[in-house]
Amino acid sequence: MFKALVVDKDAESGKTSAAVRELDIGDLPEGEVTVAVEYSTLNYKDGLCIGPGGGLVRHYPHVPGIDLAGTVEASDDPRYAPGDKVVLTGWRVGEAHWGGHAQKARVRADWLVPLPEGLDTRAAMAVGTAGFTAMLAVMALEDHGLVPGEAPVLVTGAAGGVGSVATAILSALGHEVAAVTGRPEQEAYLKGLGAARVVPRAELAETVKRPLESETWSGCVDAVGGAMLARVLGQMCYGASVAAVGLAGGAALPATVVPFLLRGVNLLGIDSVMQPYDNRVRAWTRVARDLPMDRLEAMVVPATLSDLPGLGAEILRGQVKGRVVIDVNA
């Protein structure tokens, strides 16, 4: 038997509920590798799955948790053996497949990545999908020419999970980081992560009629989308790139093509869910090398499985700062 956060749906009322329950190992879905989970984390998708209506869940009962890190307990795949430390993010685990908000998980071997040297399972989940996505964004900007010492790099939604890690990584790599947030009380937190300055969200939240403004940013990690992304595109330096990682401000993009045509700006889409294995290994290796562990620890909010229903509601309201790390055995 093991403990798990189980989301269930009442057949009559259609209402969903989430609670910690005991399950049997035989309840786990099919997969080549069984993992003794040590830590998981909380992402916006998890909040959707835990919250009213079940969000992305299609079949009940369901165990959410799109991230997990732990030790291989049993494996039918030669790539992994009992005792191996592994990490999993994406692949619709926690949505279509039972996830990491449990003490046990059974998954496909193709979805796993060996835990990189320099990270333990707790640190890996402090990184999680949010930090993995942030590293993918930084790598994409670098692949398109971003180097330290030029104009500042903008990070929108900087107090959130992706933004926090992106701020810390970019600062550690020698970039001047301008962190955008709508929560002025987070200024000290963001500067502690390495932000050189904090930009109030209101300065970038409105669209303007001019398709181009002054060249201000040498790169951008954007977790907001919507009107803010449109505004930022017109402020990028010549040939600079924006890595789009989220849509907290909306999916619509009220922009023109002028920044692309007259300044050669690049808009780079960042997907973390279906990334191929080699790029996952590359990103996790970079995380272990380039993310300062003291700054990572400053982002951590510790929690347990029983805290998840409340935290799921908070992350949907934009009230979660940094990285929630779930000790599934606490």
Side-chain angles (χ1 to χ4, degrees):
M1 303 295 290
F2 64 94
K3 291 182 179 179
L5 182 76
V6 179
V7 180
D8 218 336
K9 188 172 188 177
D10 184 83
E12 294 184 5
S13 67
K15 293 183 178 180
T16 59
S17 60
V20 177
R21 286 170 34 189
E22 283 205 346
L23 300 176
D24 185 88
I25 194 77
D27 295 326
L28 289 171
E30 293 183 359
E32 298 94 4
V33 183
T34 302
V35 179
V37 181
E38 296 164 17
Y39 293 95
S40 185
T41 183
L42 179 75
N43 297 280
Y44 192 84
K45 284 183 178 180
D46 297 319
L48 292 173
C49 293
I50 295 169
L56 305 169
V57 180
R58 294 294 175 265
H59 303 286
Y60 298 90
H62 180 72
V63 176
I66 69 172
D67 297 339
L68 64 89
T71 303
V72 172
E73 195 169 75
S75 175
D76 295 327
D77 189 284
R79 289 171 289 179
Y80 297 100
D84 288 349
K85 296 289 186 179
V86 292
V87 60
L88 187 154
T89 63
W91 298 114
R92 299 203 67 204
V93 171
E95 304 171 49
H97 189 92
W98 281 17
H101 291 163
Q103 293 173 325
K104 307 278 186 188
R106 186 177 291 135
V107 298
R108 289 183 56 185
D110 287 343
W111 297 341
L112 295 168
V113 173
L115 189 71
E117 290 186 20
L119 289 181
D120 58 23
T121 53
R122 181 179 182 275
M125 287 297 93
V127 176
T129 282
F132 175 65
T133 302
M135 190 72 250
L136 290 172
V138 171
M139 291 182 349
L141 293 176
E142 291 174 341
D143 291 345
H144 284 78
L146 180 68
V147 294
E150 298 182 341
V153 179
L154 191 71
V155 178
T156 69
V162 179
S164 292
V165 180
T167 298
I169 291 173
L170 287 164
S171 172
L173 291 172
H175 297 278
E176 178 186 345
V177 179
V180 182
T181 183
R183 296 180 276 176
E185 69 276 9
Q186 303 301 340
E187 181 170 353
Y189 166 75
L190 291 168
K191 288 188 173 179
L193 296 180
R197 61 188 171 109
V198 174
V199 180
R201 180 171 60 197
E203 290 188 14
L204 295 171
E206 295 182 5
T207 55
V208 294
K209 292 183 179 180
R210 300 186 307 280
L212 294 176
E213 299 180 70
S214 298
E215 296 181 45
T216 306
W217 318 113
S218 64
C220 174
V221 177
D222 175 60
V224 177
M228 185 176 295
L229 174 56
R231 180 82 181 273
V232 167
L233 287 170
Q235 298 179 350
M236 301 306 295
C237 294
Y238 188 89
S241 301
V242 178
V245 301
L247 41 65
L253 184 59
T256 75
V257 298
V258 173
F260 309 119
L261 302 181
L262 298 187
R263 284 196 185 150
V265 171
N266 305 297
L267 180 57
L268 312 174
I270 306 299
D271 167 64
S272 66
V273 177
M274 307 303 289
Q275 280 288 320
Y277 177 83
D278 288 347
N279 213 36
R280 288 177 181 271
V281 172
R282 177 188 173 210
W284 279 107
T285 301
R286 286 287 306 274
V287 164
R289 187 188 81 188
D290 295 331
L291 176 58
M293 289 300 108
D294 58 337
R295 295 184 187 177
L296 179 65
E297 187 60 34
M299 305 175 203
V300 171
V301 178
T304 66
L305 288 175
S306 60
D307 296 324
L308 280 167
L311 287 168
E314 288 180 17
I315 199 168
L316 295 181
R317 295 195 296 264
Q319 296 173 338
V320 171
K321 177 186 77 173
R323 300 292 300 126
V324 176
V325 176
I326 310 298
D327 182 348
V328 301
N329 297 301

